[in-house]
Amino acid sequence: MKVFILAALVVVVASQGYPKPQYPKPQYPKPQYPTPAYPAPAYPTPAYKAPAYPAPAYPSPAYAKTPEYAPMPYNFNWAVKDDPSYNDYAHQETADDKGYVTGSYRTLLPDGRTQIVDYKADDYTGYVADVKYDGEAKEYKPAYKPAGYPSPAYPSPSYPSPAYPSPAYPSPAYSAPKYQSPSYPSPAYPSPKYPTKY
């Protein structure tokens, strides 16, 4: 028991006699890492040889020369005159062996005038025409006559009168109802009794 008390006293004295040690916070320098330097890769520029194609050579088409024929002289003329249909026109043309052409044509216009065209043509001056009119222009009024078509005659349709048989309905036979006559009992009232007079 004495030993236990002694040990306790030693612990109390030891706890009061020595202060709690204070240690400074360690400071570590921040590590410095050198930035890595990688050399940029150098790729050789590819050198492609441009292909060389020979220029296509097409042979020039060879056409046969058109044969040249000397002009053939000719002469023609024609005319149409039909009063009912108002057709009145004509054409005349002449050509020599040098290609010189002359001619004229006329046409009856709807306004009553006649158009006359004199022309000439060759390889140097081309086609040259002289147009003139003969007569006086009038209002065009065609002589219209209505066609005479007979009025259609359609026969009147004749339909037979329909014959329907008259319907025959049987007469209904109803039996007359029989009702039993009611019998009521005759009422029985007691005879009245009056007091005797004195």
Side-chain angles (χ1 to χ4, degrees), residues 91-92 103-107 114-119 127-133:
H91 188 190
Q92 178 272 332
S104 66
Y105 61 86
R106 62 179 177 81
T107 304
T114 300
Q115 183 187 49
I116 302 173
V117 180
D118 296 324
Y119 62 89
Y127 180 83
V128 180
D130 179 22
V131 183
K132 56 186 176 181
Y133 297 90

Side-chain angles (χ1 to χ4, degrees), residues 117-174:
V117 180
D118 296 324
Y119 62 89
K120 60 181 180 179
D122 55 28
D123 294 337
Y124 302 100
T125 60
Y127 180 83
V128 180
D130 179 22
V131 183
K132 56 186 176 181
Y133 297 90
D134 184 19
E136 185 178 354
K138 299 178 182 179
E139 183 180 0
Y140 176 66
K141 293 182 178 181
Y144 172 74
K145 295 181 180 180
Y149 298 106
S151 300
Y154 302 104
S156 300
S158 58
Y159 302 103
S161 301
Y164 301 107
S166 300
Y169 301 105
S171 300
Y174 301 106

Side-chain angles (χ1 to χ4, degrees), residues 5-16:
I5 294 172
L6 183 62
L9 291 174
V10 171
V11 170
V12 171
V13 172
S15 62
Q16 294 179 355

Side-chain angles (χ1 to χ4, degrees), residues 167-185:
Y169 301 105
S171 300
Y174 301 106
S175 57
K178 295 179 179 180
Y179 301 103
Q180 184 177 4
S181 298
S183 57
Y184 301 104

